[in-house]
Amino acid sequence: MKKRLLLVMCICLIMCIAIAGCSGQAKESESKTPEKLTSVVDQGGNEVQLPETITKVAITPIPWASAMWTIDGGSERIVSINPSAMAQYKGSFMPNLDPAFATISTAEITKDFAINVEALMNLKPEIAFIWNDQTAEAEQLKAVGITPVMLNYAENLDDLKKDLLLVGQVLGKEDEAEKLTDYHTEVENYFIDKKAKLDTVTKKKVLYLQNSKLSVAGAKNINNYLLQLTGGTNVASGLDKKWSEVNMEQILEWNPEIIYLSNFDETMPEDLYRNKIEGQDWSNIDAVKNHRVYKTPVGILRYDAPCVETPLMLKWMGSIQQPELFKDYDIRKDLKAFYKEFFSRDLTDENIDTILKVDVNN
């Protein structure tokens, strides 16, 4: 009898231990964090197997050095960038935010995005962000154990947001990328919601000038999309390219009411007002006669390219082209709020004047 009772007690004890073990396993399973992404589909349509750890990254596309910096919260993982990206850094507001960015190498990538793979190997990056037409470079990188991730040159905000989210996925910074793209969506929707009112007003004829060689933004340039959203008509929208070179006769025929000057060269509004460009006569253009030529802002990157500050470019354009329609925001306040939210920086009025090029746009 005693033996039977002892046997029953042992069985009960074993069952209790087993149940407790199962319960502990269940709780452990529930408490596990979501598994790290092991692969992503890049903007070239490739399924990319991600390295287990990403400590070093190279970046060939010019705008994406500042975009990765924003999403990753710093430059610690960036080991090589395009020399044009470094030149833009030095001419931007970004040195005020991250002086260490200036020490990133530019010797491995050329201005036309070519990669010295042998030199890049010495820096030992696990990942290289490249454009989605750099198929030959992708194969070269894979051959030496560097994982290429392709990005797309955005023609609209949807493309831009896809790129930003992809960078966030690769870096394990999905939340940061989503926060940024949510802001892009919010601002875009603000302008989309104004479309009915926008259809009732006269659209301004706008020319977006890249440089003094008369290269202008065409239909495939993201600025064409931004102009449409903000109450402008791109006079060069019939040109089916990102940038197209035209002549002065064509610009005279278009006769734009507003001209935006990019930061791809040093041309300033005063150069057009005073006819300083040899072989060009701007005196009969309405935008020049009415003093409506504007140098595009430069924040952490020039606003001409698709970038993290593109929503601010929309607001800046809207305030110039249709100030009566887009009067329910203050671009200066929004710029200050953006820098506080995404860069933890309190901008002064002088900082804002610098970014918006107030000294040359008055």
Side-chain angles (χ1 to χ4, degrees):
M1 185 72 177
K2 288 181 180 178
K3 288 183 181 179
R4 184 178 298 174
L5 181 60
L6 184 59
L7 179 62
V8 171
M9 290 175 67
C10 287
I11 292 171
C12 290
L13 181 61
I14 291 169
M15 289 179 66
C16 289
I17 292 171
I19 291 170
C22 291
S23 175
Q25 287 177 358
K27 287 180 180 177
E28 182 183 350
S29 176
E30 288 173 4
S31 66
K32 281 183 179 177
T33 56
E35 288 187 11
K36 179 181 178 294
L37 283 174
T38 57
S39 68
V40 295
V41 177
D42 70 11
Q43 293 300 309
N46 310 294
E47 184 171 353
V48 178
Q49 300 300 316
L50 297 176
E52 286 188 15
T53 58
I54 299 174
T55 61
K56 296 180 180 180
V57 179
I59 309 169
T60 67
I62 299 167
W64 289 95
S66 60
M68 175 178 162
W69 176 85
T70 301
I71 292 169
D72 207 29
S75 55
E76 290 80 7
R77 288 201 275 184
I78 305 174
V79 296
S80 181
I81 62 174
N82 193 301
S84 294
M86 183 59 76
Q88 286 191 41
Y89 161 82
K90 291 177 180 177
S92 74
F93 188 76
M94 202 169 161
N96 296 284
L97 304 174
D98 185 3
F101 192 98
T103 64
I104 297 171
S105 178
T106 60
E108 300 76 28
I109 301 167
T110 67
K111 290 182 178 180
D112 61 357
F113 314 112
I115 304 169
N116 184 331
V117 176
E118 185 176 347
L120 189 59
M121 286 172 62
N122 294 329
L123 299 180
K124 300 180 180 179
E126 296 92 1
I127 290 284
F129 287 113
I130 62 176
W131 286 126
N132 62 356
D133 60 357
Q134 292 187 274
T135 52
E137 288 84 353
E139 293 305 315
Q140 293 169 9
L141 290 166
K142 285 189 280 189
V144 297
I146 301 171
T147 301
V149 179
M150 290 185 168
L151 298 168
N152 179 47
Y153 186 93
E155 294 178 13
N156 53 56
L157 287 184
D158 281 342
D159 288 345
L160 176 56
K161 287 187 287 186
K162 288 176 184 175
D163 280 340
L164 291 169
L165 290 171
L166 175 60
V167 171
Q169 288 178 326
V170 170
L171 299 176
K173 294 293 182 78
E174 293 94 334
D175 289 346
E176 290 80 357
E178 286 179 11
K179 180 180 176 183
L180 185 59
T181 55
D182 284 348
Y183 182 79
H184 281 238
T185 300
E186 177 187 334
V187 174
E188 184 179 23
N189 285 342
Y190 164 82
F191 286 97
I192 291 173
D193 290 344
K194 295 277 189 178
K195 187 179 184 307
K197 289 184 178 179
L198 199 56
D199 288 342
T200 67
V201 301
T202 302
K203 311 295 189 301
K204 299 294 183 182
K205 294 189 298 179
V206 184
L207 176 71
Y208 205 104
L209 191 65
Q210 184 185 37
N211 53 44
S212 60
K213 295 179 180 179
L214 304 185
S215 180
V216 300
K220 291 188 175 179
N221 193 296
I222 192 170
N223 290 303
N224 184 67
Y225 176 68
L226 304 185
L227 288 171
Q228 291 173 353
L229 274 183
T230 54
T233 298
N234 181 12
V235 294
S237 62
L239 305 176
D240 195 33
K241 292 182 179 179
K242 288 185 178 71
W243 299 103
S244 295
E245 207 164 290
V246 298
N247 55 39
M248 201 69 222
E249 288 72 25
Q250 177 63 77
I251 294 175
L252 282 165
E253 183 180 333
W254 284 331
N255 193 20
E257 299 168 274
I258 294 172
I259 296 174
Y260 294 124
L261 303 177
S262 84
N263 287 283
F264 285 93
D265 77 355
E266 297 303 314
T267 304
M268 293 292 176
E270 200 69 14
D271 296 324
L272 273 59
Y273 296 146
R274 295 191 179 185
N275 261 335
K276 288 184 176 181
I277 305 174
E278 187 177 350
Q280 298 176 13
D281 182 6
W282 292 89
S283 61
N284 292 315
I285 302 294
D286 282 351
V288 173
K289 289 190 290 185
N290 296 320
H291 214 77
R292 302 215 63 192
V293 181
Y294 303 93
K295 191 70 174 177
T296 306
V298 178
I300 65 166
L301 188 76
R302 61 189 178 207
Y303 283 14
D304 310 287
C307 63
V308 298
E309 292 176 90
T310 294
L312 298 172
M313 177 68 155
L314 274 170
K315 291 191 171 188
W316 181 75
M317 282 180 161
S319 67
I320 291 172
Q321 292 162 193
Q322 302 291 346
E324 290 304 312
L325 181 58
F326 303 123
K327 60 184 177 182
D328 48 356
Y329 66 82
D330 182 328
I331 180 61
R332 296 179 69 90
K333 288 182 179 178
D334 290 350
L335 184 56
K336 186 174 287 191
F338 183 90
Y339 269 66
K340 181 67 173 178
E341 179 74 16
F342 293 100
F343 306 141
S344 300
R345 174 67 178 238
D346 291 311
L347 292 179
T348 65
D349 286 338
E350 184 179 2
N351 294 153
I352 295 172
D353 287 349
T354 300
I355 293 169
L356 296 181
K357 303 284 184 182
V358 169
D359 59 332
V360 298
N361 286 334
N362 281 337

